[in-house]
Amino acid sequence: MLARCLLIAFVSLTSLSSYATIDDSDLNDIKNSIEKSQDTMHYVRTVSGSIPVPMPKHNEDKPAYSYYEIVSYDIYNSQGGKRMIQAVITNHSGGGIALKPKQIKAYFSNNTYVEPTRIEQKGKFAQGETKSVTLYFGETDASIIGLLTRSY
């Protein structure tokens, strides 16, 4: 019985000591896991059509004129502050064109209008075509309220 108790105590101490020794690679794995979780984009909400977004007062804050129409969009963010929109947009202009950052802006909760830092779009728009585009807005503490374009 005494031998059994000693064996259990020895096994317990051995297993505890293995948990107590964490090397640098384990710490780096934990750090990388935390960073990766902060970069993961999370769905926030879907907006159908173009919700009323206040038009900027100053011309430099307004999107450039275009023939694009926002059909719907999904807003995503990360814990680290990255902001992204997956938008469905229709082109009412000629064919062979691509959406430019200056033609679309997001309205943020801090009352600023920001054009995307990058746009991902597969191919160019044909006349009357509707496609999905991904708009990246970088990192900020402010939330995206809405998306706007300015038609002729």
Side-chain angles (χ1 to χ4, degrees):
M1 183 72 171
L2 180 62
R4 184 176 179 198
C5 289
L6 288 174
L7 181 62
I8 291 173
F10 176 74
V11 170
S12 297
L13 288 174
T14 306
S15 63
L16 286 175
S17 65
S18 68
Y19 286 113
T21 58
I22 297 176
D23 61 11
D24 287 340
S25 66
D26 290 339
L27 290 175
N28 286 336
D29 290 345
I30 292 169
K31 182 180 175 187
N32 290 338
S33 177
I34 291 170
E35 288 173 0
K36 191 180 278 187
S37 72
Q38 290 182 341
D39 278 348
T40 303
M41 300 304 286
H42 302 280
Y43 169 80
V44 176
R45 65 186 160 96
T46 296
V47 177
S48 294
S50 186
I51 62 167
V53 176
M55 186 56 77
K57 294 177 182 167
H58 305 289
N59 280 336
E60 63 269 6
D61 291 333
K62 294 178 183 177
Y65 282 104
S66 68
Y67 289 103
Y68 292 106
E69 173 190 1
I70 300 166
V71 177
S72 65
Y73 54 94
D74 298 330
I75 300 172
Y76 296 88
N77 65 26
S78 73
Q79 288 180 341
K82 290 183 181 178
R83 304 292 184 242
M84 180 187 89
I85 292 180
Q86 185 72 38
V88 177
I89 297 175
T90 301
N91 169 33
H92 294 292
S93 182
I97 59 173
L99 179 66
K100 297 178 183 91
K102 65 182 181 179
Q103 295 172 319
I104 192 163
K105 291 200 176 187
Y107 178 59
F108 282 80
S109 61
N110 60 358
N111 296 321
T112 59
Y113 297 87
V114 179
E115 64 185 45
T117 56
R118 184 173 57 122
I119 298 175
E120 283 183 10
Q121 159 182 338
K122 291 196 180 5
K124 298 189 179 209
F125 279 93
Q127 185 173 10
E129 182 178 19
T130 299
K131 26 172 84 197
S132 177
V133 298
T134 306
L135 311 167
Y136 296 93
F137 293 93
E139 291 184 19
T140 179
D141 290 337
S143 300
I144 296 174
I145 304 295
L147 192 62
L148 70 147
T149 60
R150 188 163 61 149
S151 299
Y152 283 104

